[in-house]
Amino acid sequence: MSIQSDNIEKLVQRRAKARLGGGEKRIEAQHAKGKLTARERLELLLDPGSFEEFDMFVQHRCTNFGMDASHPDGDGVVTGCGTIGGRVVYVFAQDFTVSGGSLSKTMSEKICKVQDMALRNGAPCIGLNDSGGARIQEGIDALAGYGEIFERNILASGVIPQISCIMGPCAGGAVYSPALTDFTLMVKNTSYMFLTGPAVVKSVTGEVVDQEQLGGASVHASKSGVTHFAAEDEKDALETIKNLLSFLPQNNMETAPFKETSDPVNRVDDALNSIVPDNPNKAYDMYGVIGSIVDDGIFLEVHKEFAKNIIVGFAHMNGRSVGIVANQPKVLAGVLDINASRKAARFVRFCDAFNIPLVTLVDVPGFLPGTQQEYGAIITNGAKLLYAYGEATVPKVTVTLRKGYGGAHIVMSCKQLRGDINYAWPSAQIAVMGADGAVNVLYAKEIKADPENAKAIFEEKKAEYEELFSNPYQAAQKGYIDDVIEPRNTRFRVIRALEQLSGKRQEIPAKKHDNLPL
Ligand code: HXC
């Protein structure tokens, strides 16, 4: 054998060993937990044959606690670059088979390298997390590594899409990198995120709780909103990442890719003409409207289980990516509360940062009243949504389907807060409040003074109010909405509006950064 072929053989063997991470036994243990290895995950995520691995031979430099006895090539993370649907992405996948994926200083250097490359080259950065947190043996070095990763998360925010997928443990300060990224996914039953685990919770507060209840995927998808997606299994999570990316541009200087459709632009849907019930207090399903107006009925919902009174997600309209925000009359009558405001505000800001036009479907009776909401700062949280819409410079098309009452009407992308094209269905009621509430305020004295005729006075004044405000025409007469449209034509009208607005350029005053009401 020549020296060169010997060298090549050594390389092949060293690569093969590195690919085994912590070794076959640990790979088996990983599989036994229902989890894939870092490399298996990347294989499912990336286009076949597209993965280019970096830093396969990087080793940790720690000598404490006997760490110098073993130096696995690559340490506990696999990093590199590949393509998804032919588009470049940068990736890192923590390898639980090496020291439980715990973060060493060298691992953080590997992760920072792909973060830097993603930012420099204008491509999304995707992290697959499966780690025991800071590598305990490395002490402050491991913490420093986290700081350097967070710094890059922050600098890349709003420039390239950043996606985190939690596929195992993610505890302590390690949770903050995912929290700083645009989208977090978790895998049901095998992943969890919390700042302090069940044992610490018990010793500090006495509360007894298991990992799943404390920080499992279902909890974070429905209660805290920390995760945007709760996947059934790892494959589902990786497919969701691919699907999500298909709606997003590579960076904030580009637009999202065009998606061919055979769905006609002028497809009408007669069912929409009767979807709003005659009784204004009766609910209907907003998903029916969304499914009807978007291309091929395909809608990728974000935060599906969280604050279900508002719906947010991505769709295509005539091939162009749009962000949909819609009140859901079926849940809490579509009212805006703290969580709904936070959820929608974050989504609106993401779309604005990445040049994705917003389509807003309004049926909102107002903000949720009560001490719980006031003490929880509904004022500040509602202001987030108001702020997000007000600062957004992407094209904004709004359709008021039914109720658009009070401050909630203003918040939901109204014309006077930089809405571009605002339509209303004939069933729209755009007013300060609903008829019952208004009459009770305006005619309280008259009603009290004449108890015998109270009901008649109430009904008469209610009819008067409804005649004036329970329709879209007062707003239309004043130009507060641009047109009253037939519901069945909504798809066509929204697409035409978006096309009109496709060249929109709007500036905001120069500033260091804004002061969003956090
Ligand atoms: C070093 C670690 C480690 C860590 C796990 N391992 N976590 N090594 N530092 N943080 C090692 C284990 O010693 C073990 O090595 C191997 O990884 C697999 O771990 P197991 O415990 O056998 O696996 P499992 O039973 O599945 O339990 C996984 C786990 C548990 C729940 C993650 O290992 C655990 O609780 N680890 C500690 C978690 C933690 O407290 N991390 C610090 C969080 S604070 P061997 O060789 O025995 O197989 C933090 C601060 C970040 O991260 C601050 C950022 C600002």
Side-chain angles (χ1 to χ4, degrees):
M1 203 184 257
S2 73
I3 292 176
Q4 287 319 322
S5 59
D6 192 33
N7 282 344
I8 290 167
E9 182 54 28
K10 275 188 193 146
L11 170 68
V12 170
Q13 282 174 10
R14 199 160 163 184
R15 279 189 188 283
K17 187 152 183 264
R19 286 199 185 97
L20 288 178
E24 270 157 9
K25 260 188 143 166
R26 284 169 200 261
I27 292 175
E28 272 169 35
Q30 178 84 345
H31 288 160
K33 287 183 196 152
K35 302 199 302 183
L36 298 172
T37 64
R39 282 194 169 73
E40 287 165 345
R41 288 166 178 163
L42 290 175
E43 216 162 279
L44 283 176
L45 178 68
L46 301 171
D47 294 338
S50 71
F51 184 47
E52 157 106 1
E53 185 168 344
F54 307 139
D55 294 336
M56 190 185 224
F57 305 116
V58 161
Q59 299 179 349
H60 74 77
R61 300 184 291 265
C62 180
T63 54
N64 306 327
F65 298 101
M67 284 297 284
D68 42 355
S70 160
H71 288 96
D73 274 342
D75 207 352
V77 67
V78 181
T79 60
C81 170
T83 60
I84 293 179
R87 299 196 298 155
V88 172
V89 293
Y90 288 83
V91 289
F92 64 89
Q94 292 167 338
D95 182 353
F96 193 84
T97 68
V98 178
S99 293
S102 58
L103 191 94
S104 65
K105 185 66 173 62
T106 40
M107 273 173 67
S108 71
E109 287 163 6
K110 285 181 69 170
I111 293 172
C112 288
K113 188 190 268 189
V114 285
Q115 288 183 299
D116 287 341
M117 291 179 83
L119 183 59
R120 203 159 53 235
N121 300 321
C125 189
I126 303 166
L128 307 182
N129 296 258
D130 186 0
S131 164
R135 187 164 299 167
I136 296 162
Q137 298 90 332
E138 296 210 4
I140 192 70
D141 268 347
L143 295 188
Y146 275 115
E148 284 161 15
I149 292 169
F150 298 165
E151 178 192 6
R152 283 159 179 82
N153 286 138
I154 294 162
L155 295 180
S157 180
V159 184
I160 52 169
Q162 299 182 84
I163 298 173
S164 303
C165 188
I166 316 301
M167 310 183 95
C170 184
V175 296
Y176 283 116
S177 176
L180 291 169
T181 61
D182 298 303
F183 295 101
T184 299
L185 299 90
M186 292 182 74
V187 181
K188 285 185 188 166
N189 305 317
T190 51
S191 73
Y192 50 88
M193 293 177 85
F194 38 67
L195 274 173
T196 50
V200 176
V201 171
K202 188 168 175 222
S203 70
V204 175
T205 69
E207 191 184 2
V208 177
V209 66
D210 66 23
Q211 287 189 352
E212 191 61 31
Q213 289 167 322
L214 186 62
S218 302
V219 162
H220 282 312
S222 62
K223 290 192 195 300
S224 69
V226 163
T227 191
H228 299 83
F229 300 93
E232 292 305 318
D233 53 32
E234 296 198 3
K235 200 159 177 276
D236 181 29
L238 298 168
E239 286 301 320
T240 304
I241 294 176
K242 296 190 220 183
N243 193 7
L244 176 60
L245 283 172
S246 73
F247 292 93
L248 312 185
Q250 289 289 89
N251 56 62
N252 67 340
M253 303 296 280
E254 296 184 9
T255 50
F258 183 82
K259 185 175 178 237
E260 286 297 337
T261 179
S262 53
D263 197 350
V265 172
N266 58 359
R267 174 172 55 76
V268 296
D269 184 355
D270 291 330
L272 291 186
N273 276 3
S274 54
I275 197 167
V276 173
D278 291 339
N279 178 349
N281 296 324
K282 250 184 110 180
Y284 59 95
D285 194 350
M286 189 60 87
Y287 288 116
V289 181
I290 297 169
S292 160
I293 65 171
V294 301
D295 289 358
D296 308 298
I298 296 170
F299 178 56
L300 175 64
E301 189 169 1
V302 176
H303 262 149
K304 188 175 182 175
E305 300 300 326
F306 181 66
K308 292 176 170 186
N309 37 332
I310 203 158
I311 301 168
V312 302
F314 298 104
H316 290 98
M317 294 195 81
N318 198 25
R320 309 238 175 252
S321 191
V322 292
I324 306 259
V325 181
N327 309 112
Q328 169 59 294
K330 263 184 84 170
V331 179
L332 294 170
V335 75
L336 282 176
D337 59 4
I338 293 168
N339 286 346
S341 304
R342 284 202 296 129
K343 164 176 163 177
R346 179 135 179 94
F347 183 75
V348 166
R349 295 193 100 218
F350 176 83
C351 290
D352 187 47
F354 289 99
N355 312 315
I356 299 172
L358 288 159
V359 175
T360 304
L361 305 174
V362 182
D363 188 345
V364 62
F367 281 100
L368 185 62
T371 50
Q372 209 193 1
Q373 291 290 308
E374 296 290 354
Y375 295 173
I378 181 64
I379 295 173
T380 314
N381 285 287
K384 284 177 189 155
L385 183 54
L386 183 68
Y387 198 108
Y389 268 123
E391 73 173 343
T393 56
V394 286
K396 287 174 278 187
V397 178
T398 306
V399 185
T400 301
L401 279 54
R402 189 167 62 173
K403 297 168 192 165
Y405 291 157
H409 158 73
I410 307 289
V411 169
M412 294 298 295
S413 199
C414 76
K415 187 86 185 161
Q416 281 59 48
L417 198 66
R418 308 215 298 178
D420 291 304
I421 302 280
N422 290 60
Y423 295 129
W425 284 6
S427 45
Q429 306 168 15
I430 300 171
V432 174
M433 59 176 75
D436 288 10
V439 173
N440 281 328
V441 172
L442 292 178
Y443 295 97
K445 282 197 199 102
E446 286 84 341
I447 289 169
K448 204 173 164 201
D450 190 357
E452 262 179 35
N453 292 314
K455 194 165 175 2
I457 297 171
F458 181 85
E459 290 303 332
E460 184 200 328
K461 294 299 173 190
K462 184 176 166 185
E464 199 181 314
Y465 186 91
E466 280 177 347
E467 174 67 21
L468 197 57
F469 293 131
S470 296
N471 60 65
Y473 296 105
Q474 215 218 13
Q477 278 162 21
K478 302 190 173 188
Y480 295 150
I481 58 165
D482 297 293
D483 200 4
V484 182
I485 64 171
E486 227 188 292
R488 67 195 199 117
N489 293 332
T490 303
R491 171 175 165 78
F492 168 66
R493 296 299 299 263
V494 171
I495 289 173
R496 198 168 63 179
L498 288 169
E499 266 156 29
Q500 263 183 65
L501 299 168
S502 61
K504 181 182 173 189
R505 291 280 176 273
Q506 191 174 26
E507 299 291 325
I508 49 173
K511 50 182 98 173
K512 182 175 175 189
H513 61 69
D514 60 36
N515 191 15
L516 172 81
L518 291 173

